[in-house]
């Protein structure tokens, strides 16, 4: 069976059916690869989740053929929310942001994509991706700013992490800049971390814990898009 889904522009792509997976009580749905996924919640309730935007890429410009950097800047890290959110029953879509690529030129690192939890086309939580670092001959440039967290449409019950991303650093002649640390675990390799000078950032992340008494099936999980593959 084949159907169609309109993308963000004007083209239509065929979508192949992807087998659904049913999640029962006290289990976890977790996505570490970038893509667009979906799940159906069968009951209103409070759900513990974590969502992190992707890290921006770093930039660097070489000083000379010896390999010493003229200047470099790290990408910003993605915003992060981790806590308990009240969600109504129904279908939800989650986009996990793709990391920003690094760049060894004055064009700068790429922006990390946002990670977004939405329902019926309305964003509930947006964990913004980090901006790419910029580098210029003569020592100019700047580290990428951290992603911005938007909870304006969410009903927050409690939170353990509720933060914008961290900015990347900048280094002039001979220096190598660090990317913004992951808000999730305060490391340079954790989910959503920014890339160091000239290097890519880290993909975003999403996890939701399903905790419900009884044996009822409460969530249906399906994949809409992963990489360049698109599903129903």
């Amino acid at each position: 069976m084949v159907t169609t889904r309109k993308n963000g522009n004007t083209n239509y792509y065929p979508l192949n059916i992807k087998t659904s997976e049913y999640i029962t009580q006290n289990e976890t749905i977790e996505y570490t690869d970038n893509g667009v996924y979906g799940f159906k919640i069968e009951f209103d309730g409070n759900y513990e989740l974590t969502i992190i935007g992707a890290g921006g890429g770093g930039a660097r410009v070489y000083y000379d053929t010896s390999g010493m950097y003229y200047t470099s800047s790290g990408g910003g890290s993605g915003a992060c929310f981790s806590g308990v959110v009240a969600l109504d029953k129904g279908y939800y879509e989650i986009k996990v942001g793709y990391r920003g690529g690094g760049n060894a030129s004055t064009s700068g690192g790429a922006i990390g994509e946002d990670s977004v939890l939405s329902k019926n086309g309305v964003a509930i939580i947006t964990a913004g991706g980090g901006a790419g670092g910029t580098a210029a001959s003569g020592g100019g440039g700047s580290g990428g700013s951290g992603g911005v967290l938007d909870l304006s449409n969410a009903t927050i019950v409690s939170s353990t992490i509720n933060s914008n991303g961290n900015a990347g650093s900048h280094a002039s002649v001979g220096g190598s800049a660090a990317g913004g640390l992951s808000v999730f675990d305060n490391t340079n390799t954790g989910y959503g971390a920014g890339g160091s000078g000239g290097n890519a950032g880290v993909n975003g992340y999403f996890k939701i814990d399903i905790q419900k008494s009884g044996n009822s099936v409460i969530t249906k999980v399906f994949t809409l898009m992963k990489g360049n593959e698109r599903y129903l």
Side-chain angles (χ1 to χ4, degrees):
M1 178 177 179
V2 176
T3 186
T4 58
R5 174 183 175 89
K6 189 174 182 179
N7 72 356
N9 299 310
T10 58
N11 297 321
Y12 285 78
Y13 294 97
L15 300 179
N16 297 321
I17 298 299
K18 181 75 171 181
T19 302
S20 298
E21 175 187 0
Y22 285 90
I23 302 296
T24 56
Q25 60 175 352
N26 302 326
E27 296 192 41
T28 297
I29 304 167
E30 185 176 36
Y31 301 118
T32 59
D33 293 333
N34 66 289
V36 181
Y37 308 91
F39 56 93
K40 180 184 179 184
I41 292 177
E42 304 288 353
F43 300 98
D44 299 348
N46 298 332
Y47 295 86
E48 185 174 355
L49 62 83
T50 298
I51 182 170
I52 306 171
R60 65 187 177 205
V61 176
Y62 285 100
Y63 178 71
D64 55 28
T65 57
S66 69
M68 178 176 287
Y69 304 145
Y70 194 92
T71 182
S72 69
S73 297
S77 64
C80 175
F81 173 82
S82 186
V84 179
V85 180
L87 298 175
D88 298 331
K89 65 181 180 180
Y91 286 97
Y92 290 81
E93 184 171 293
I94 176 68
K95 173 190 174 185
V96 177
Y98 183 63
R99 64 188 185 184
N103 204 325
S105 74
T106 55
S107 60
I111 298 172
E113 292 182 343
D114 298 345
S115 292
V116 184
L117 173 67
S118 59
K119 183 182 183 186
N120 298 327
V122 176
I124 298 170
I125 300 177
T126 300
T134 61
S137 58
S142 63
S145 58
V148 176
L149 183 64
D150 184 353
L151 301 172
S152 56
N153 292 322
T155 302
I156 306 301
V157 178
S158 63
S159 63
T160 54
I161 303 176
N162 183 339
S163 178
N164 294 334
N166 296 309
S169 65
H170 173 71
S172 295
V173 178
S176 182
L181 297 179
S182 167
V183 176
F184 181 69
D185 63 4
N186 205 38
T187 70
N188 59 11
T189 57
Y191 300 120
S196 59
N199 296 305
V202 180
N203 284 341
Y205 175 80
F206 178 79
K207 180 178 76 170
I208 183 169
D209 290 328
I210 305 303
Q211 296 183 348
K212 184 77 175 181
S213 61
N215 296 318
S216 299
V217 172
I218 66 173
T219 303
K220 180 180 180 182
V221 183
F222 52 94
T223 300
L224 296 171
M225 182 178 75
K226 182 176 178 181
N228 293 322
E229 299 178 356
R230 303 176 69 87
Y231 305 100
L232 178 65

